[in-house]
Amino acid sequence: MRLVQWVSATRAFARTAPHVVPVLDRAVHRLTRGKVLLSARMLPGLVLTVPGARTGRPRTTPLACMPEGKVEGAWILVGSNFGRTGHPAWTANLLARPDEAVVNWRGRDIPVRATLLEGEERARVWEAALVFWPPYAAYQRRLEREIRLFRLERR
């Protein structure tokens, strides 16, 4: 696991992974009718569907997540964008339409509400995220922007 974490913190990974990982995840997720998400073999994962901020058309993105709490129904999403400079598009979509998101979690569609975390709450969750997946620290060091954190809760 340490090797995987080391590799995922490199700039080379940040350049290539965004073009490979989501494509593979979407294909396998579709072929298995929502039962398998390849990247979830490393980290828990879900598939987020939220209307686009400008178009309103559904946008589907496989994402790593940090389940929160003992009962299924809350997740933390980290808008790291693999340590690349811009915020990932899905974060703008959640900001624009926080009550219209749906996650596919372990093959089930669950309507959720998104909340952008800020201040002390963000700081506390960020520390938990760094324990959960240490490469997030390397991503943040490379960036001038603050990585967005969202809490998704079942509606």
Side-chain angles (χ1 to χ4, degrees):
M1 186 55 103
R2 284 182 188 232
L3 177 62
V4 170
Q5 289 178 352
W6 179 82
V7 168
S8 70
T10 65
R11 290 181 190 273
F13 184 81
R15 282 192 303 272
T16 58
H19 305 290
V20 177
V21 175
V23 173
L24 288 173
D25 268 345
R26 276 189 207 97
V28 171
H29 191 259
R30 191 173 27 246
L31 288 171
T32 62
R33 295 188 181 108
K35 301 289 189 247
V36 176
L37 195 59
L38 283 181
S39 62
R41 300 299 179 230
M42 280 190 315
L43 289 170
L46 53 75
V47 177
L48 172 70
T49 301
V50 64
R54 289 184 303 223
T55 67
R57 291 197 310 251
R59 302 296 182 198
T60 300
T61 309
L63 298 167
C65 67
M66 189 170 76
E68 192 175 52
K70 296 183 194 265
V71 178
E72 283 187 3
W75 301 267
I76 298 297
L77 297 182
V78 179
S80 67
N81 205 14
F82 296 96
R84 298 185 315 167
T85 56
H87 290 291
W90 61 264
T91 66
N93 298 340
L94 283 179
L95 288 171
R97 301 172 186 267
D99 294 327
E100 299 178 47
V102 175
V103 297
N104 185 279
W105 173 253
R106 298 182 176 162
R108 293 187 336 263
D109 287 335
I110 303 169
V112 294
R113 176 173 292 108
T115 305
L116 177 65
L117 301 181
E118 299 176 300
E120 289 181 23
E121 184 178 24
R122 186 204 178 278
R124 181 182 54 76
V125 172
W126 179 249
E127 290 305 316
L130 293 179
V131 170
F132 182 73
W133 189 246
Y136 288 144
Y139 296 169
Q140 186 62 76
R141 280 192 301 273
R142 287 199 299 259
L143 301 171
E144 292 182 23
R145 69 177 173 88
E146 182 176 74
I147 292 175
R148 292 175 176 160
L149 299 180
F150 288 88
R151 175 176 289 117
L152 302 182
E153 295 176 288
R154 188 184 296 261
R155 280 190 265 138

